[in-house]
Every structure is written in C-alpha cells, then in structure tokens.
Amino acid sequence: LPRSAIVRQLPTVTSKSERAMDATIRKMVTSTSGEFARLHASTLDAGALEAWTDGTTRDTALHLAAAEADADVIDAILATLPSNEKAASRKNKEGKTPVCIALERPDDSGALGAFLARGAVKASGKVNDEVYIVHCALKGHLLSVRALLAEGADPN
C-alpha cells in the first residue's frame, strides 16, 4: 500500500490523548526518514504503542510498517517496545503477524532484516507451517533467503 493509503486506513479517535497518540503514530509509520521515525517512536509510551491497533483491521503500527517494508520505521518501533518477539508475533484480523506481512513483500529483505537484527524473530521461524527460508524460497524471494541464511537458517 502507498503511504497515503496507510494514513487513510488509520482509525479516527475521539479523546485528546488518543488523538495526540494517533497523530504521532501516523507521522511515524508514514515517515520516509529513519531518524524522524526514531524521534516519534521515542516520544511514545512503549505500552501505549504496543497496545495501539487499527479499529477495523487490528493492524498494529508494526503491521503497517511491515506492509511498507520500511526497515527504519520497523527498527524504531522495535527499539521502543519492551518485547520484540511478542510484538512481531501479534496477529491482525486476518491472522497475519507483522513478520508474515514482511515476508509477503516481493524480494525485500530490509523489513525481514530489521526483525532479525532486533531479535524479534529467529531465522528458523515459521509462517503457515513453513519455515521462513522455505516460504521465501518458494516465493522466489532470493534476498530474503540470503538474509535468513546469514542469520543461521538451516538450508535443508
């Protein structure tokens, strides 16, 4: 999805504190600058950022960043959250985790690399009962396969 579509997808909130947090998350996930994203992520309460979801899709800020394959924003969010593994395994309404969404991106290892670098996922992880490396290989995502191998994924 283009960044403008993501902004339109984000929910409308009513209370002043919810509006302020929503505005900050909108700026962060639509940022084109890693430093800008880090600044906004650092201004949010980690618990509030972790709890925030889109009211319709139940996407988290991490889901939205993964959909954009924005490694800098993913890194900024993961740097703020207390539990990277928990955040990376949280499912949206369709049952997809942010990592699943990142793996669906055609041959973009940046988003996957951000999850791996922060320890949010292990190279041996699974999506839909397939280990990541098999899933990426079947989809023809060579860069993701290389990133997983570099992190110690078993090629067999």
Side-chain angles (χ1 to χ4, degrees), residues 112 116 123-124 132-134 136-137 141-156:
L112 178 59
L116 290 167
S124 60
Y132 293 153
I133 196 162
V134 170
C136 292
H141 298 174
L142 181 61
L143 295 176
S144 295
V145 168
R146 287 182 179 159
L148 290 164
L149 287 171
E151 290 294 321
D154 183 0
N156 299 313

Side-chain angles (χ1 to χ4, degrees), residues 3-145:
R3 290 183 191 281
S4 59
I6 286 178
V7 171
R8 285 193 303 272
Q9 282 183 357
L10 294 175
T12 304
V13 289
T14 54
S15 81
K16 188 175 181 178
S17 63
E18 285 178 327
R19 281 193 306 270
M21 187 171 125
D22 186 62
T24 302
I25 290 174
R26 286 174 192 263
K27 288 177 188 175
M28 184 178 59
V29 299
T30 60
S31 169
T32 58
S33 161
E35 269 316 300
F36 189 69
R38 278 181 189 56
L39 172 67
H40 283 288
S42 68
T43 65
L44 291 171
D45 172 76
L49 179 60
E50 187 172 35
W52 183 89
T53 60
D54 177 289
T56 304
T57 63
R58 291 199 323 246
D59 283 341
T60 64
L62 205 51
H63 282 93
L64 298 176
E68 281 293 308
D70 194 324
D72 289 333
V73 175
I74 291 169
D75 184 64
I77 293 169
L78 291 174
T80 305
L81 297 177
S83 172
N84 290 340
E85 288 181 34
K86 180 180 174 186
S89 64
R90 193 163 167 195
K91 294 182 178 181
N92 65 10
K93 191 173 180 178
E94 295 177 356
K96 294 181 180 179
T97 67
V99 177
C100 291
I101 292 170
L103 289 171
E104 290 173 358
R105 298 290 300 190
D107 218 13
D108 186 321
S109 65
L112 178 59
F115 285 109
L116 290 167
R118 285 280 177 185
V121 295
K122 295 180 179 19
S124 60
K126 290 185 175 186
V127 58
N128 300 330
D129 294 325
E130 290 178 327
V131 290
Y132 293 153
I133 196 162
V134 170
H135 180 81
C136 292
L138 290 172
K139 299 272 186 187
H141 298 174
L142 181 61
L143 295 176
S144 295
V145 168

